[in-house]
Amino acid sequence: MTYQSDVILDLKGVPCPRNTAMAIIQLETMDQDEILKIIVDDGEPIKNVPPSLEEDDEYEIIARKKSDQGCWHLYVKVL
Amino acid sequence: MPVFDKNKIFLDNAATTRPYDEVISLMSKMQSDNYGNPSSVHKVGVKAATQVERARLAIADTLGCSADRVFFNSGGTESNNTALKGIATNYSQKGKHIIISPIEHPSVHYVALWLAKIGFEIEILPVDSSGFVDPDEIRKRIRTDTILVSVMHANNEIGTIEPIKEIGTVCAENNVVFHTDACQSFTKTPLNIQEMNADLITLNGHKIHGPKGVGALYIKKELDIDPLLVGGGQENNMRAGTYNAPAIAGFGKAVMKSNSDDIDKVIGLRDYFIRILKDEIEGLSINGPLGDKRLCNNINLRVKGISGKKIFLELDKCGIAISTGSACSSGKTTPSRVLLAIGLRDDVANESVRISISKYNTMEELNFTFECMKKIIQKERKLN
């Protein structure tokens, strides 16, 4: 299944929790039902970013996919 | 709106500024509710980190650079130390020649002198009678072993706005790193990375109605620079130490609050005050340039035959805070290094005072200050 995103935020190389903070700041600027695609590194970032975002009832991670380059693509919907 | 209190007139805004109410409120909230360590990945930490990143984005947006090129630290002095020492240690294989202006802040001037003690060659440029550096003088002095040029954007004592774009171009053409200390000018005069050709820019919070103890250093992406403080991996290993999150958040808020209307107001107050001083006080001269090459909030003046220290002390008794020399050298009787560099004699330099305005000052305050100054000068002239 493919997802359309309204905004893409490349957070490769950005350490935790700065990556989550940057994602939150971006999400705060977006409207309801819009989708943010976040690109994060494997390892700590993929372990830390999704649960941190999901703690907020305003966002839902609707998909996560590992790319061929080894990083992760998260699709986050503004509720 | 500010309330006029003739016993509390603050005209030393080049030394520091009153923080915006919103800055105080945000910092207070950070201390009481949002006190997490921004390096922690739990919810409390993420909340604090979000404020840090918000501040970084605000600064980057104002500079016109990517947020990942803004590195927080403890203030202008740390930024200047990092810039000079970081380039010196990392580029010493290429050379040891460093060029600075003679009117730099002590945190550049004395770092350069310290570098001279450990084997670097420091060359100090001339400035003209208004404090301007000539970019061609830099071009003439750059050698194959020149590793760094450091010229401040706007001078803290006499308000001279240096031709940074032209200096940056000379440095770029000659592949020399260019650092500028923009503590006095940030948010007060246009400062766009794309136009400046600067590799390193020093910023701080408390000159712009933000908190003390926080600053930032812009570092160009391609630049290889050693950190001043090592330890934890904060700031992508560029500055170790737990984030001062309340101060960083306050710094960011101050940047967000800055606007061109305030600058226009300050310019209006500055020019009004200069006009009435020059019209009414005999023997009064302005140090530094006039017009748009002068920092919007700066007035540096001297009155023939009257000690600047005397004016400073008498105004203080009236509840008016100004400065003699720069804030960092207040209390010293030696003449200002900056005023000597623009060609003033020791005795003439000692006649100088600095009055620096902010958006919180009013015409009423300036009129009251003017009346006090007139009385002080008349009294001194009678005594002499």
Side-chain angles (χ1 to χ4, degrees), chain A:
Chain A
M1 189 172 177
T2 56
Y3 291 90
Q4 293 291 320
S5 57
D6 298 284
V7 182
I8 299 171
L9 189 60
D10 187 349
L11 296 173
K12 290 196 300 291
V14 179
C16 302
R18 195 174 159 206
N19 42 19
T20 307
M22 291 171 77
I24 289 170
I25 292 169
Q26 179 60 52
L27 285 161
E28 284 172 351
T29 68
M30 295 172 66
D31 294 329
Q32 193 176 10
D33 293 330
E34 283 192 319
I35 293 171
L36 172 66
K37 177 181 173 182
I38 306 171
I39 306 169
V40 295
D41 294 315
D42 197 14
E44 290 302 307
I46 192 59
K47 287 181 200 159
N48 292 329
V49 175
S52 292
L53 292 178
E54 282 178 328
E55 275 175 3
D56 196 323
D57 293 341
E58 290 177 33
Y59 314 121
E60 181 189 358
I61 295 172
I62 54 173
R64 66 180 77 192
K65 290 193 296 186
K66 193 165 188 180
S67 75
D68 295 340
Q69 288 77 37
C71 53
W72 288 82
H73 295 183
L74 299 173
Y75 292 84
V76 188
K77 187 177 179 182
V78 181
L79 301 176

Side-chain angles (χ1 to χ4, degrees), chain B residues 131-171:
Chain B
F132 289 113
V133 167
D134 179 354
D136 281 335
E137 288 293 334
I138 296 177
R139 193 188 300 279
K140 281 183 213 163
R141 285 168 164 80
I142 286 178
R143 314 185 310 216
T144 53
D145 63 341
T146 305
I147 55 170
L148 176 68
V149 170
S150 183
V151 176
M152 68 201 324
H153 189 204
N155 183 264
N156 50 313
E157 291 189 44
I158 56 174
T160 311
I161 299 174
E162 298 293 350
I164 290 304
K165 188 178 166 187
E166 292 76 9
I167 294 170
T169 301
V170 168
C171 292

Side-chain angles (χ1 to χ4, degrees), chain B residues 256-269:
Chain B
M256 291 174 214
K257 291 270 307 165
S258 64
N259 65 78
S260 58
D261 287 348
D262 289 344
I263 296 171
D264 290 343
K265 180 195 166 182
V266 171
I267 289 172
L269 289 172

Side-chain angles (χ1 to χ4, degrees), chain A residues 18 22, chain B residues 53 56-57 59-60 63-72 193-194 198-203 216-225 235-236 238:
Chain A
R18 195 174 159 206
M22 291 171 77
Chain B
E53 295 316 312
R56 198 188 310 276
L57 282 166
I59 292 164
L63 285 178
C65 70
S66 162
D68 64 355
R69 305 322 304 159
V70 175
F71 298 87
F72 287 114
I193 300 279
Q194 311 309 323
D199 299 298
L200 296 154
I201 303 176
T202 290
L203 309 170
L217 182 63
Y218 159 80
I219 305 175
K220 195 176 182 178
K221 194 170 186 181
E222 299 76 19
L223 200 65
D224 207 3
I225 177 169
E235 295 297 82
N236 277 344
M238 256 318 294

